[in-house]
């Protein structure tokens, strides 16, 4: 009986254990969730999720999704991923959960937006630079492309005009095209949508599409530089790609942010060499010029009285410049749940230039919604409407109504006011017989542009299976420009026709439809070998509609509408369009997170080429090796990461090419014998094909001393062949030139970026950033048979595209004050006959040899001080208008004060020849005399701020509060003392009377709720 008792008890115990186990199993629950990167809201792939106290776990898929079985609630999830801070999440009920991971301090593991997706920086094998949106916010500059100056190695950003909203000239790794109508500007992509960028205006001097985008709404900017990064954009990738990502909502309670900033703009100091003459000096040089021409002192005195009575000494600089007001206000709200997230913002920006009559007002807004229908399907909507008004009087040499041009041309003896205080527009030699009174022009002429734009995107995403998703997004860009120019009938450009007006209406509509699959998988059970793949189709179309109207002969100056004028002179409408279609694919392989391979292929079709030349294929390949993860490298303790990478790819250029350049065309709108007709106006080029760029890049990414020092180095070699150029052709065709493919251009160089934190304590930190770029440009295949002049430059094999081709200045003959030039490149003989001197390749280029940025940031408790410098070295700047400002001092010309250094007597050593009225010696004609070193260092941005501590914030019920003062362009050091103007000119380093660069000081507050 005893054994039977134990047998029975054993059976009961076994049955109880089985039932308990089955009961426990039946109580298991499955939790589902998503892992996202906190700042960019992008999916975190391969994050590890496990429950505390339990064996096993899972990883997130390509969309960041995961599902995990739990025994019961409550439970603690342990979430970790390389490059992110680990999270412990408490769960109390079975609801889907979204977990946001904060990036670790190791910047090599941050998520970077690349073409058609994102990647961890630690896995990237191409040359990509990310600029955080925090570095772009609350800077008193109108557009993001201006703010990028000095922040990215390899990116040259030139602010050539102080006109608010002016177009910015950007080159990534040098000039990529030599055709005047083509473009070397990079392609801009906003939230995954390719846009029309640059200057779309047709009447104002300069305007910028990117000035419609509020920098405060930007989350990050990725600059894609090498072919491995840009080849997936194919025909739009030759000049680099800049990808802008705007802010989105985050899960959590609604957060509010408000900032306000007010200040003023002035102009920087005019170099001594470029200051204009006062009345006393002008009269002295004017008389001397006449006497040197063979006239008597009495005759010179008499001539001077025609222009000056000795009582007027006008400071035109102070009259055409001002202290312009600057202000901006920005408000945003963001938040949401696991189902729906939102971000809305509104901004107001106003900037008055330091030059009279020039300003920009912008009202911007953003509405972004992200909604998860279920674990499979999600939608996103993004709308960014903006309106701006830009008052933009002529700001280059195209018209005498340009206030800056008038500063250099008007005499100090001219009085802007009459005796009764009214503006002087008298048509006399002493007053304004040839030049205009800029004060009257600004008050009575109108030149403005109303710019309305909408950037938008609608996106749907469907998770087909755990590691495969499909997304479709339709992006729209609408630009509506209404431009108007009115010249009054009393004074200025409109006087000869009794007033005139021009009206231009321009509408651009672009859509970009992208459909793509994204796939992620592991080939091994230990997840050592991973694959990320993307494939898709894209269609882009852009249409332009333009209306032109003009009229003159106004009965009154009180009304400016063109309908008031009695004589219509123009009425026309035009249409233009272009389209692209793309197929693209990319695959990224990683093994043990230390070996990386990547490849992409793109097939492009463009309407800008004939049917036979319309399509092109653009492949790229790259590889990376993280040596620091090898066993043999582990003893090197001071190195945190050390990755080598290399890439090669093929891209093309179709930017800026005329939509119909390849077609033989007939132009109508002509009259023959009072009958309507037309004629051939374009020869066409049906054999025209893509400019093709082949680029090699070798790079190094390294961090040291627990991420206190970060170094990025790149060497690149970019060759662009099949250059588009207009070659001379037989006049029997009816045309003098024909557009074709000929020649090759090379850009090669190095880029170095160093970011370091020399000091970091609990209360104090010091961060340093430095980048430098060296680029060498040369034609490797001459599009012409022999070297030829290309304006002021030489077009020849082995020469920089922007190498100056001029007569070589030899100075001034000390015996008689004659100008001298070298006869040829040997510089062994001189001549005082300009026509006897030969043009030579000077070896001096408009392209800088080195450029970059340098910044320091100091923080102590709540205080912070930062300064950003931009520097430029090794290029030369040409004064294109020297012929009107040097040597001959007369009623209209010769206003530079540098003329005071003129030759006066035998033995004088100077570089300003003898002043001779109506001289024919051509001393001020184009030569190397008017080339100046373009080296400079500029304090681009400096700020001082204070962040209030948590104890103060809690009392105020605020999440953040920051007060700051900021300055831009406060200091510029110029190395060439003979340079008469600011060294930052056009990309070709030629002056053009552009508006002075703004020098601003602003005060601001930033409040978070």
């Amino acid at each position: 009986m005893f054994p039977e008792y134990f047998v029975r008890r054993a059976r009961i115990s076994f049955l109880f254990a089985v039932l308990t186990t089955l009961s426990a199993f039946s109580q298991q629950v499955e939790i589902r969730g998503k892992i996202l990167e906190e700042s960019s809201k992008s999916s975190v792939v391969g994050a590890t999720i496990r429950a505390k106290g339990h064996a096993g776990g899972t990883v997130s898929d390509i969309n960041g999704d995961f599902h995990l079985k739990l025994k019961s609630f409550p439970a603690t999830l342990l979430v970790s991923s390389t490059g992110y801070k680990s999270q412990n999440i408490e769960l109390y009920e079975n609801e889907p959960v979204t977990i946001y991971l904060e990036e670790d301090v190791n910047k090599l593991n941050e998520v970077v937006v690349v073409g058609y997706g994102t990647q961890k920086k630690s896995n990237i094998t191409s040359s990509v630079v990310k600029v955080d949106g925090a570095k772009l916010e609350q800077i008193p500059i109108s557009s993001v492309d201006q703010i990028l100056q000095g922040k990215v190695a390899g990116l040259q950003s030139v602010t050539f005009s102080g006109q608010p909203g002016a177009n910015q000239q950007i080159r990534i790794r040098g000039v990529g095209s030599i055709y005047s109508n083509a473009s070397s500007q990079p392609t801009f992509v906003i939230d995954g949508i390719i846009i029309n960028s640059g200057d779309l205006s047709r009447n104002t001097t300069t305007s910028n599409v990117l000035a419609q985008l509020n920098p405060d709404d930007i989350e990050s900017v990725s600059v894609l530089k090498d072919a491995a990064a840009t080849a997936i954009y194919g025909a739009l990738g030759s000049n680099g790609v800049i990808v802008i990502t705007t802010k989105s909502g985050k899960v959590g309670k609604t957060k509010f942010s408000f900032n306000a900033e007010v200040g003023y703009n002035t102009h920087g100091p005019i170099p001594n060499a470029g200051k204009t003459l006062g009345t006393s000096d002008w009269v002295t040089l004017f008389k001397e010029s006449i006497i040197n021409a063979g006239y008597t002192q009495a005759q010179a005195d008499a001539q001077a009285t025609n222009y000056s009575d000795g009582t007027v000494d006008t400071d035109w600089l102070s009259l055409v410049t001002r202290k312009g007001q600057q202000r901006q206000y920005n408000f945003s709200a963001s938040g949401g749940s696991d189902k729906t997230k939102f971000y809305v913002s509104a901004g107001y920006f106003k900037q008055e230039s330091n030059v009279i009559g020039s300003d920009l007002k912008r009202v911007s807004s953003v509405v972004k919604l992200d909604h998860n229908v279920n674990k499979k399907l999600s939608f996103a909507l993004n709308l960014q409407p903006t309106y701006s008004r830009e008052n933009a009087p002529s700001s280059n040499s195209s018209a005498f109504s340009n206030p800056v041009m008038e500063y250099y041309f008007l005499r100090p003896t001219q009085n802007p006011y009459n005796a009764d205080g009214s503006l002087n527009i008298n048509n006399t030699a002493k007053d304004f017989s040839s030049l205009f009174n800029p004060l009257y022009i600004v008050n009575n002429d109108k030149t403005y542009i109303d710019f309305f734009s909408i950037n938008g995107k609608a996106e749907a995403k469907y998770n087909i299976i755990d590691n495969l998703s499909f997304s479709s997004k339709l992006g729209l860009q609408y630009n509506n420009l209404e431009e108007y120019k009115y010249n009054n009938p009393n004074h200025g450009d409109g006087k000869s026709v009794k007033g005139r007006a021009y009206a231009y209406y321009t509408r651009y509509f672009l859509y970009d439809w992208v459909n793509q699959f994204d796939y992620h998988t592991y080939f091994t059970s230990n997840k050592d070998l991973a694959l990320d793949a993307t494939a898709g189709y894209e269609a882009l179309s852009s249409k332009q509609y333009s209306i032109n109207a003009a009229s003159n002969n106004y009965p009154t100056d009180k009304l400016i509408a063109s309908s008031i004028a009695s004589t219509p002179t123009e009425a026309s409408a035009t249409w233009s369009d272009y389209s692209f279609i793309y197929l693209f694919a990319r695959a990224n392989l990683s093994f043990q997170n230390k070996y990386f391979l990547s490849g992409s292929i793109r097939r492009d079709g463009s309407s800008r080429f004939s049917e036979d030349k319309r399509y092109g294929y653009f492949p790229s390949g790259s590889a990376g090796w993280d040596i620091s993860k090898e066993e043999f490298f582990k003893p090197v303790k001071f190195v945190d990461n050390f990755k080598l990478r290399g890439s090669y790819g093929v891209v093309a250029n179709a930017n800026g090419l005329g939509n119909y350049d390849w077609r033989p065309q007939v132009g109508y709108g002509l009259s023959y014998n009072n009958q309507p007709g037309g004629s051939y106006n374009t020869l066409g080029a049906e054999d025209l094909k893509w400019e093709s760029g082949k680029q090699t890049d070798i790079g190094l990414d390294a961090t040291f001393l627990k991420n206190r020092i970060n170094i990025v180095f790149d060497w690149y070699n970019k060759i662009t062949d099949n250059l588009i150029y207009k070659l001379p052709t037989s006049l029997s065709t009816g045309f003098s030139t024909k557009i074709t493919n000929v020649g090759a251009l090379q850009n090669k160089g190095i880029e170095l970026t160093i970011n370091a934190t020399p000091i970091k304590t609990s209360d104090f930190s010091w961060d340093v950033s430095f980048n430098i770029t060296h680029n060498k440009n040369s034609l490797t295949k001459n599009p012409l048979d022999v070297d030829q002049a290309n304006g002021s430059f030489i077009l020849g094999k082995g020469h920089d595209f922007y190498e100056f081709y001029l007569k070589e200045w030899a100075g001034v003959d000390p015996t008689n004050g004659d100008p001298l030039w070298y006869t040829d490149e040997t510089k062994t003989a001189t001549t005082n006959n300009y026509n006897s001197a030969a043009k030579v390749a000077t070896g001096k280029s408009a392209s800088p040899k080195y450029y970059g940025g340098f910044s320091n940031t100091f923080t102590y408790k709540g205080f912070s001080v930062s300064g950003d410098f931009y520097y430029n070295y090794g290029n030369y700047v040409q004064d294109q208008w020297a012929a009107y400002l040097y040597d001959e001092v007369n009623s209209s010309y010769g206003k530079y004060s540098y003329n005071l250094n003129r030759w006066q007597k035998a033995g004088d050593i100077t570089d300003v020849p003898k002043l001779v009225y109506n001289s024919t010696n051509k001393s001020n004609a184009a030569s190397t005399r008017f080339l100046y070193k373009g080296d400079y260092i500029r304090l681009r941005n400096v700020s001082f701020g204070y962040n209030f501590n948590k104890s103060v914030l809690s009392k105020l019920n605020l999440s953040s509060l920051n007060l700051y003062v900021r300055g831009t362009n406060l200091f510029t050091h110029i190395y060439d003392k003979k340079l008469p103007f600011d060294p930052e000119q056009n990309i070709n380093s030629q002056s053009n009377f552009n508006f002075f660069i703004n020098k601003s000081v602003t005060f601001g507050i930033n409040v978070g709720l």
Side-chain angles (χ1 to χ4, degrees), residues 665 680-683 729-738:
Q665 298 173 46
Y680 288 103
N681 62 8
T682 303
L683 182 60
T729 190
S730 172
L731 292 176
S732 63
T733 63
F735 300 88
S736 59
T737 61
K738 178 182 179 181

Side-chain angles (χ1 to χ4, degrees), residues 136-142 147 213-217 258-263 325-331 346-351 360 362 364 964 966 968 1002-1005:
L136 310 174
E137 295 176 349
Q138 291 128 39
I139 294 179
I141 297 176
S142 60
I147 302 173
L213 179 63
N214 186 351
D216 269 50
D217 289 323
F258 172 77
N259 68 69
E261 184 175 292
V262 296
Q325 299 300 307
Q326 167 92 31
R327 65 189 60 149
Q328 63 173 319
Y329 309 99
N330 296 292
F331 171 82
Y348 174 79
F349 178 88
K350 179 180 180 181
Q351 185 180 52
L360 172 72
R362 178 183 66 209
S364 61
Y964 63 89
R966 188 188 304 276
T968 60
T1002 55
F1003 303 85
I1005 181 172

Side-chain angles (χ1 to χ4, degrees), residues 46 314 552 781 876:
T314 303
N552 57 35
K781 183 180 179 182
Y876 284 80

Side-chain angles (χ1 to χ4, degrees), residues 247-264:
K247 293 177 181 177
S248 298
K250 299 180 181 179
V251 173
K253 68 176 184 178
T254 301
K255 295 182 178 180
F256 299 93
S257 176
F258 172 77
N259 68 69
E261 184 175 292
V262 296
Y264 61 87

